[in-house]
Amino acid sequence: MAEVSADSVTLDLLREARETVRSSPLGVINTPMIPWCQTTLPLSVDCNIHIKLENMQRTGSFKIRGVANQFARRPKGGHFVTMSAGNYGKSFAYASKHYGSKGKVVMPETAPVSRSILIQSFGVEVERVPTSCLMNVVNGCVQGDNMTFLHSYDDLDLIAGHASLGMEVLEVMPEPDVVVVCCGGGGLLAGVAAAIKLSGCDKTWIYGVEPEGACTMYKSFIEKKPVGMDTKSIASGLAPPFAGKLPYELCQRYVEAIVLVNDEEIKAAVSTLYRSGLVVEPSGSAAFAAVVNNKIPELEGKNVVCVLSGGNVGKDELANFPD
């Protein structure tokens, strides 16, 4: 199999994936993108911001986009294994049930138990293990049980599927000055950045946002190679143990910078969004937290897009956030 690199991601590939995602039997939706001025959200800088409401996506997050493209390009009735803190696992389980394939999700012990129960409800097996053991358990399933590994962020089909979000952004705002996207393993950030830059928006500045306690892509940019770390953050979906190789290459090429937010800023962002009528999980709030805490430079007078990437937060979890 040919080595997959950033050069594998072309505009034609992304357009094809966009059509696959758009026509997927999984029912992926073109989520609303609304002007900030049509909400009660606070804003200290004078600019034209739009918010992409991916928290309203089928299965509650952007992950269904990549999953729709992955499953469309895999044999039906396969036996797949993946690792996920929740959102990818939920979309993976949803797709497994729809396509009639057997599946297993290996989850870090730190992920909410409610996520495990939800994933199991789709008929998919769940195994909870310490974060440092995730890959070992997955490898055991591949070698011992002959399962096929679907990666939750370091996968060409997945990233191409996620890029459909970037294409949708450009339909509403054809020439954004700044786009702000959360970053965990980097699949969404890489896909959106590639879609926007390959569509000809060379002047658009794209920022990835990571939690301080899980800044694998930030460290990868410094060390000029994908690196891992012991991650810890309230944004469990942004805290995989390492940055993806293909996402890293794409982010190096198309992303201007990675900025960091701390857990207190993320918690406050969840509460602020909730008060304005938007249910967004901690991981989905990171880009918003970066904007409201002035982590993104020179927004004055600019056309800006901020992605709210997911809304999978339980009522029980919301009780832990400040009023």
Side-chain angles (χ1 to χ4, degrees):
M1 191 173 151
E3 173 70 13
V4 173
S5 72
D7 293 332
S8 313
V9 179
T10 62
L11 188 56
D12 284 344
L13 177 97
L14 299 188
R15 282 178 173 154
E16 187 185 338
R18 168 79 203 271
E19 289 312 309
T20 300
V21 171
R22 203 199 301 250
S23 59
S24 168
L26 299 180
V28 182
I29 59 173
N30 182 334
T31 51
M33 195 161 105
I34 62 168
W36 195 293
C37 62
Q38 291 179 4
T39 73
T40 57
L41 292 167
L43 186 61
S44 59
V45 60
D46 183 22
C47 60
N48 172 35
I49 304 197
H50 279 62
I51 316 164
K52 180 68 167 162
L53 300 178
E54 202 65 6
N55 56 318
M56 296 173 69
Q57 183 57 267
R58 179 108 34 214
T59 72
S61 86
F62 72 91
K63 295 283 190 182
I64 193 71
R65 295 175 181 273
V67 165
N69 200 40
Q70 278 182 319
F71 273 77
R73 296 173 199 285
R74 300 293 191 285
K76 281 196 173 64
H79 193 181
F80 302 116
V81 61
T82 193
M83 57 175 188
S84 167
N87 279 350
Y88 178 82
K90 185 178 177 183
S91 294
F92 169 91
Y94 180 83
S96 297
K97 185 175 182 182
H98 185 93
Y99 279 95
S101 54
K102 288 175 70 179
K104 176 173 180 173
V105 177
V106 182
M107 292 184 83
E109 289 171 336
T110 50
V113 175
S114 58
R115 299 275 172 100
S116 309
I117 295 164
L118 180 73
I119 288 167
Q120 286 166 323
S121 74
F122 288 105
V124 166
E125 185 189 347
V126 171
E127 185 175 347
R128 293 172 69 92
V129 302
T131 302
S132 57
C133 304
L134 287 167
M135 260 333 285
N136 292 345
V137 175
V138 166
N139 288 335
C141 294
V142 171
Q143 286 150 14
D145 304 324
N146 207 23
M147 296 165 83
T148 302
F149 178 42
L150 289 189
H151 205 295
S152 56
Y153 54 90
D154 199 355
D155 176 88
L156 179 63
D157 294 330
L158 180 92
I159 291 168
H162 291 340
S164 62
L165 192 155
M167 303 281 201
E168 288 174 17
V169 163
L170 296 180
E171 286 171 5
V172 179
M173 189 184 282
E175 292 183 358
D177 296 310
V178 178
V179 177
V180 190
V181 186
C182 65
C183 179
L188 176 65
L189 176 60
V192 170
I196 289 171
K197 293 288 172 78
L198 289 171
S199 294
C201 296
D202 301 335
K203 295 190 175 74
T204 301
W205 284 60
I206 299 172
Y207 290 92
V209 183
E210 285 189 309
E212 286 179 358
C215 55
T216 50
M217 192 63 76
Y218 180 83
K219 289 190 167 182
S220 300
F221 268 44
I222 293 169
E223 298 194 25
K224 300 206 166 18
K225 63 172 196 244
V227 299
M229 65 181 281
D230 284 334
T231 56
K232 190 176 189 318
S233 172
I234 188 157
S236 58
L238 301 183
F242 45 86
K245 179 178 178 294
L246 182 57
Y248 165 74
E249 283 185 31
L250 289 163
C251 289
Q252 272 283 38
R253 187 175 292 191
Y254 300 125
V255 173
E256 268 57 46
I258 307 292
V259 301
L260 304 180
V261 290
N262 63 43
D263 276 11
E264 293 310 307
E265 289 165 335
I266 291 171
K267 284 182 192 171
V270 171
S271 297
T272 301
L273 288 160
Y274 186 77
R275 283 197 301 273
S276 291
L278 294 166
V279 177
V280 186
E281 66 193 87
S283 298
S285 308
F288 173 82
V291 171
V292 294
N293 288 289
N294 302 315
K295 302 291 177 88
I296 313 295
E298 297 173 32
L299 291 183
E300 198 77 31
K302 299 280 174 53
N303 291 315
V304 183
V305 177
C306 174
V307 179
L308 304 182
S309 59
N312 284 314
V313 58
K315 291 196 285 278
D316 53 331
E317 292 173 77
L318 279 171
N320 301 323
F321 292 91
D323 288 334

